[in-house]
């Protein structure tokens, strides 16, 4: 490995409980993917920073939810191919793509502060091309005012921008404050089923 794992349990695919549902957290750099993983696990298991690109490798973390086995895969932020300059960035992108392939469900994280950009759609496309179920996660919801009104607007915007994902559930949450975090796992399970 190129990077220290800081004692995190990186598990081989061979070590998986074959019945565990595997889902990856995917998205652009700095949308809160690692914070979301920590919120799901309810502990600080992966490094979080405001610096985009902190996560460079995919990390598989097993956990239980309602006595069922799951594996959440934290991935590096996926940059536009034109912005993938260094070898390390290419490595990170390839590892993220492999994480999508190994997943049963992909949770696409969008930053509520920045809105939807074209690259969010490209990343969703990777999951769809791989034939994966998708859950759209609008993160950083704690900074949004007029939440009910904004939620309606966001749902319409997502329906328009991700017309090819009309079946995908949408969850609004804050990984940082853990508000509405309980809405994610039921949607991951429904999407898997």
């Amino acid at each position: 490995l190129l990077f220290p794992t800081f004692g995190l349990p990186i598990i081989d695919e061979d070590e998986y409980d074959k019945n565990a549902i595997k889902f990856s957290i995917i998205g652009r750099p700095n949308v809160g993917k690692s914070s979301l993983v920590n919120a799901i696990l309810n502990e600080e298991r992966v490094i979080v920073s405001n610096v985009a690109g902190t996560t460079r490798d995919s990390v598989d973390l097993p956990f239980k939810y309602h006595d069922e086995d799951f594996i959440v895969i934290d991935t590096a932020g996926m940059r536009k191919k034109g912005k993938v300059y260094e070898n390390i960035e290419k490595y990170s992108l390839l590892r993220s793509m492999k994480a999508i392939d190994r997943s049963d469900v992909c949770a696409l994280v969008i930053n509520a502060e920045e809105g939807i950009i074209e690259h969010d759609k490209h990343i969703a496309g990777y999951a769809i091309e791989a034939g994966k179920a998708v859950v759209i996660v609008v993160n950083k919801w704690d900074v949004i005012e007029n939440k009910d009104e904004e939620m309606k607007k966001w749902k319409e915007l997502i329906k328009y921008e991700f017309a090819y994902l009309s079946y995908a559930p949408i969850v609004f949450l804050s990984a940082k404050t853990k508000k509405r975090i309980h809405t994610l796992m039921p949607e991951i399970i429904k999407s898997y089923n």
Side-chain angles (χ1 to χ4, degrees):
L1 282 178
L2 297 174
F3 301 96
T5 60
F6 301 97
L8 296 174
I10 295 181
I11 53 180
D12 255 335
E13 252 180 291
D14 298 338
E15 297 174 38
Y16 282 157
D17 173 349
K18 298 300 178 199
N19 297 321
I21 297 173
K22 297 176 284 300
F23 65 99
S24 56
I25 307 296
I26 62 172
R28 293 183 282 122
N30 227 22
V31 293
K33 294 179 302 298
S34 294
S35 295
L36 180 56
V37 169
N38 286 337
I40 291 166
L41 300 174
N42 203 26
E43 57 183 298
E44 301 300 310
R45 293 286 293 276
V46 288
I47 297 168
V48 174
S49 167
N50 287 333
V51 178
T54 299
T55 304
R56 297 291 195 137
D57 199 356
S58 298
V59 180
D60 296 23
L61 298 154
F63 70 102
K64 283 200 180 287
Y65 174 79
H66 292 191
D67 292 324
E68 298 290 326
D69 290 318
F70 289 85
I71 295 164
V72 60
I73 307 169
D74 187 22
T75 65
M78 300 170 81
R79 299 178 193 274
K80 291 180 187 169
K81 284 193 176 151
K83 292 190 176 179
V84 177
Y85 297 116
E86 343 162 14
N87 285 338
I88 216 74
E89 291 284 345
K90 288 179 187 165
Y91 169 84
S92 295
L93 179 64
L94 289 172
R95 295 288 290 183
S96 293
M97 298 296 277
K98 189 173 182 220
I100 289 172
D101 286 337
R102 293 186 296 113
S103 299
D104 298 308
V105 179
C106 294
L108 172 66
V109 182
I110 298 170
N111 183 339
E113 289 179 298
E114 296 172 352
I116 298 167
I117 68 163
E118 200 61 32
H119 195 49
D120 292 320
K121 295 188 251 183
H122 292 163
I123 295 168
Y126 296 142
I128 289 168
E129 284 172 29
K132 304 304 174 178
V134 176
V135 175
I136 299 171
V137 179
V138 182
N139 188 26
K140 305 189 182 183
W141 198 242
D142 54 305
V143 301
I144 302 299
E145 297 194 19
N146 304 321
K147 288 179 177 28
D148 291 339
E149 187 179 309
E150 286 300 313
M151 196 176 286
K152 287 176 192 160
K153 288 180 186 174
W154 266 93
K155 284 180 180 176
E156 286 302 311
L157 182 64
I158 288 170
K159 197 178 354 177
Y160 174 76
E161 294 287 348
F162 295 97
Y164 52 92
L165 271 177
S166 59
Y167 58 88
I170 306 163
V171 295
F172 300 86
L173 54 77
S174 169
K176 184 178 176 182
T177 66
K178 297 183 184 173
K179 291 270 197 251
R180 299 180 50 84
I181 196 75
H182 67 279
T183 61
L184 179 59
M185 287 307 296
E187 296 301 342
I188 295 285
I189 294 163
K190 265 193 242 169
S191 296
Y192 171 77
N193 289 333

